PDB file of all heavy atoms in Angstrom:
ATOM      1  N   TYR A1532      -4.291  10.947  16.739  1.00 96.00           N
ATOM      2  CA  TYR A1532      -3.050  10.972  15.954  1.00 96.00           C
ATOM      3  C   TYR A1532      -3.054   9.876  14.877  1.00 96.00           C
ATOM      4  O   TYR A1532      -2.441  10.015  13.839  1.00 96.00           O
ATOM      5  CB  TYR A1532      -1.833  10.749  16.845  1.00 96.00           C
ATOM      6  CG  TYR A1532      -1.453  11.951  17.682  1.00 96.00           C
ATOM      7  CD1 TYR A1532      -1.304  11.838  19.064  1.00 96.00           C
ATOM      8  CD2 TYR A1532      -1.213  13.187  17.089  1.00 96.00           C
ATOM      9  CE1 TYR A1532      -0.935  12.931  19.835  1.00 96.00           C
ATOM     10  CE2 TYR A1532      -0.851  14.285  17.854  1.00 96.00           C
ATOM     11  CZ  TYR A1532      -0.717  14.154  19.221  1.00 96.00           C
ATOM     12  OH  TYR A1532      -0.360  15.221  19.977  1.00 96.00           O
ATOM     13  N   PHE A1533      -3.737   8.761  15.164  1.00 96.00           N
ATOM     14  CA  PHE A1533      -3.651   7.609  14.254  1.00 96.00           C
ATOM     15  C   PHE A1533      -4.122   7.937  12.848  1.00 96.00           C
ATOM     16  O   PHE A1533      -3.523   7.509  11.875  1.00 96.00           O
ATOM     17  CB  PHE A1533      -4.449   6.424  14.816  1.00 96.00           C
ATOM     18  CG  PHE A1533      -3.721   5.690  15.891  1.00 96.00           C
ATOM     19  CD1 PHE A1533      -3.909   6.018  17.222  1.00 96.00           C
ATOM     20  CD2 PHE A1533      -2.824   4.690  15.581  1.00 96.00           C
ATOM     21  CE1 PHE A1533      -3.225   5.354  18.225  1.00 96.00           C
ATOM     22  CE2 PHE A1533      -2.126   4.017  16.568  1.00 96.00           C
ATOM     23  CZ  PHE A1533      -2.333   4.353  17.894  1.00 96.00           C
ATOM     24  N   TRP A1534      -5.225   8.654  12.728  1.00 94.00           N
ATOM     25  CA  TRP A1534      -5.762   8.931  11.386  1.00 94.00           C
ATOM     26  C   TRP A1534      -5.627  10.413  11.033  1.00 94.00           C
ATOM     27  O   TRP A1534      -6.288  10.908  10.143  1.00 94.00           O
ATOM     28  CB  TRP A1534      -7.224   8.472  11.254  1.00 94.00           C
ATOM     29  CG  TRP A1534      -7.446   7.121  11.855  1.00 94.00           C
ATOM     30  CD1 TRP A1534      -8.328   6.800  12.831  1.00 94.00           C
ATOM     31  CD2 TRP A1534      -6.748   5.897  11.547  1.00 94.00           C
ATOM     32  NE1 TRP A1534      -8.211   5.479  13.175  1.00 94.00           N
ATOM     33  CE2 TRP A1534      -7.255   4.894  12.400  1.00 94.00           C
ATOM     34  CE3 TRP A1534      -5.731   5.545  10.656  1.00 94.00           C
ATOM     35  CZ2 TRP A1534      -6.798   3.580  12.377  1.00 94.00           C
ATOM     36  CZ3 TRP A1534      -5.269   4.233  10.645  1.00 94.00           C
ATOM     37  CH2 TRP A1534      -5.805   3.276  11.487  1.00 94.00           C
ATOM     38  N   GLY A1535      -4.732  11.127  11.764  1.00 93.00           N
ATOM     39  CA  GLY A1535      -4.528  12.549  11.494  1.00 93.00           C
ATOM     40  C   GLY A1535      -3.584  12.798  10.329  1.00 93.00           C
ATOM     41  O   GLY A1535      -3.439  13.924   9.867  1.00 93.00           O
ATOM     42  N   ASN A1536      -2.928  11.729   9.824  1.00 92.00           N
ATOM     43  CA  ASN A1536      -1.998  11.840   8.691  1.00 92.00           C
ATOM     44  C   ASN A1536      -0.902  12.866   8.920  1.00 92.00           C
ATOM     45  O   ASN A1536      -0.492  13.559   7.991  1.00 92.00           O
ATOM     46  CB  ASN A1536      -2.747  12.205   7.406  1.00 92.00           C
ATOM     47  CG  ASN A1536      -3.292  10.971   6.746  1.00 92.00           C
ATOM     48  OD1 ASN A1536      -2.843   9.868   7.048  1.00 92.00           O
ATOM     49  ND2 ASN A1536      -4.249  11.146   5.859  1.00 92.00           N
ATOM     50  N   ASP A1537      -0.421  12.973  10.147  1.00 94.00           N
ATOM     51  CA  ASP A1537       0.664  13.896  10.445  1.00 94.00           C
ATOM     52  C   ASP A1537       1.974  13.104  10.433  1.00 94.00           C
ATOM     53  O   ASP A1537       2.189  12.231  11.267  1.00 94.00           O
ATOM     54  CB  ASP A1537       0.426  14.527  11.832  1.00 94.00           C
ATOM     55  CG  ASP A1537       1.428  15.633  12.113  1.00 94.00           C
ATOM     56  OD1 ASP A1537       2.515  15.627  11.495  1.00 94.00           O
ATOM     57  OD2 ASP A1537       1.119  16.500  12.948  1.00 94.00           O
ATOM     58  N   LEU A1538       2.840  13.453   9.427  1.00 91.00           N
ATOM     59  CA  LEU A1538       4.083  12.680   9.281  1.00 91.00           C
ATOM     60  C   LEU A1538       4.961  12.769  10.527  1.00 91.00           C
ATOM     61  O   LEU A1538       5.695  11.838  10.836  1.00 91.00           O
ATOM     62  CB  LEU A1538       4.867  13.179   8.066  1.00 91.00           C
ATOM     63  CG  LEU A1538       4.352  12.674   6.715  1.00 91.00           C
ATOM     64  CD1 LEU A1538       5.222  13.219   5.596  1.00 91.00           C
ATOM     65  CD2 LEU A1538       4.362  11.153   6.671  1.00 91.00           C
ATOM     66  N   ARG A1539       4.871  13.893  11.261  1.00 93.00           N
ATOM     67  CA  ARG A1539       5.712  14.017  12.467  1.00 93.00           C
ATOM     68  C   ARG A1539       5.369  12.919  13.465  1.00 93.00           C
ATOM     69  O   ARG A1539       6.208  12.450  14.220  1.00 93.00           O
ATOM     70  CB  ARG A1539       5.511  15.392  13.120  1.00 93.00           C
ATOM     71  CG  ARG A1539       6.132  16.517  12.324  1.00 93.00           C
ATOM     72  CD  ARG A1539       5.701  17.835  12.875  1.00 93.00           C
ATOM     73  NE  ARG A1539       4.243  17.962  12.863  1.00 93.00           N
ATOM     74  CZ  ARG A1539       3.582  19.012  13.328  1.00 93.00           C
ATOM     75  NH1 ARG A1539       4.229  20.013  13.866  1.00 93.00           N
ATOM     76  NH2 ARG A1539       2.258  19.059  13.262  1.00 93.00           N
ATOM     77  N   PHE A1540       4.110  12.486  13.439  1.00 94.00           N
ATOM     78  CA  PHE A1540       3.703  11.376  14.307  1.00 94.00           C
ATOM     79  C   PHE A1540       4.090  10.039  13.667  1.00 94.00           C
ATOM     80  O   PHE A1540       4.767   9.207  14.278  1.00 94.00           O
ATOM     81  CB  PHE A1540       2.190  11.435  14.531  1.00 94.00           C
ATOM     82  CG  PHE A1540       1.606  10.206  15.184  1.00 94.00           C
ATOM     83  CD1 PHE A1540       1.848   9.929  16.524  1.00 94.00           C
ATOM     84  CD2 PHE A1540       0.823   9.316  14.455  1.00 94.00           C
ATOM     85  CE1 PHE A1540       1.324   8.788  17.124  1.00 94.00           C
ATOM     86  CE2 PHE A1540       0.295   8.183  15.051  1.00 94.00           C
ATOM     87  CZ  PHE A1540       0.545   7.925  16.390  1.00 94.00           C
ATOM     88  N   LEU A1541       3.707   9.876  12.394  1.00 93.00           N
ATOM     89  CA  LEU A1541       3.884   8.570  11.738  1.00 93.00           C
ATOM     90  C   LEU A1541       5.360   8.182  11.614  1.00 93.00           C
ATOM     91  O   LEU A1541       5.706   7.007  11.716  1.00 93.00           O
ATOM     92  CB  LEU A1541       3.221   8.595  10.357  1.00 93.00           C
ATOM     93  CG  LEU A1541       1.698   8.787  10.398  1.00 93.00           C
ATOM     94  CD1 LEU A1541       1.149   9.002   8.986  1.00 93.00           C
ATOM     95  CD2 LEU A1541       1.023   7.598  11.042  1.00 93.00           C
ATOM     96  N   GLU A1542       6.233   9.191  11.422  1.00 90.00           N
ATOM     97  CA  GLU A1542       7.649   8.888  11.208  1.00 90.00           C
ATOM     98  C   GLU A1542       8.356   8.377  12.469  1.00 90.00           C
ATOM     99  O   GLU A1542       9.482   7.920  12.408  1.00 90.00           O
ATOM    100  CB  GLU A1542       8.392  10.123  10.688  1.00 90.00           C
ATOM    101  CG  GLU A1542       8.174  10.297   9.197  1.00 90.00           C
ATOM    102  CD  GLU A1542       8.751  11.584   8.659  1.00 90.00           C
ATOM    103  OE1 GLU A1542       9.267  12.406   9.452  1.00 90.00           O
ATOM    104  OE2 GLU A1542       8.670  11.788   7.440  1.00 90.00           O
ATOM    105  N   GLN A1543       7.676   8.473  13.593  1.00 90.00           N
ATOM    106  CA  GLN A1543       8.313   8.012  14.828  1.00 90.00           C
ATOM    107  C   GLN A1543       8.283   6.483  14.958  1.00 90.00           C
ATOM    108  O   GLN A1543       8.868   5.917  15.869  1.00 90.00           O
ATOM    109  CB  GLN A1543       7.614   8.620  16.038  1.00 90.00           C
ATOM    110  CG  GLN A1543       7.791  10.113  16.133  1.00 90.00           C
ATOM    111  CD  GLN A1543       7.011  10.687  17.285  1.00 90.00           C
ATOM    112  OE1 GLN A1543       6.972  10.122  18.371  1.00 90.00           O
ATOM    113  NE2 GLN A1543       6.369  11.805  17.043  1.00 90.00           N
TER     114      GLN A1543
END
Side-chain angles (χ1 to χ4, degrees):
Y1532 285 127
F1533 281 93
W1534 316 123
N1536 275 342
D1537 188 337
L1538 281 181
R1539 288 170 302 178
F1540 169 71
L1541 296 172
E1542 279 173 356
Q1543 293 176 42

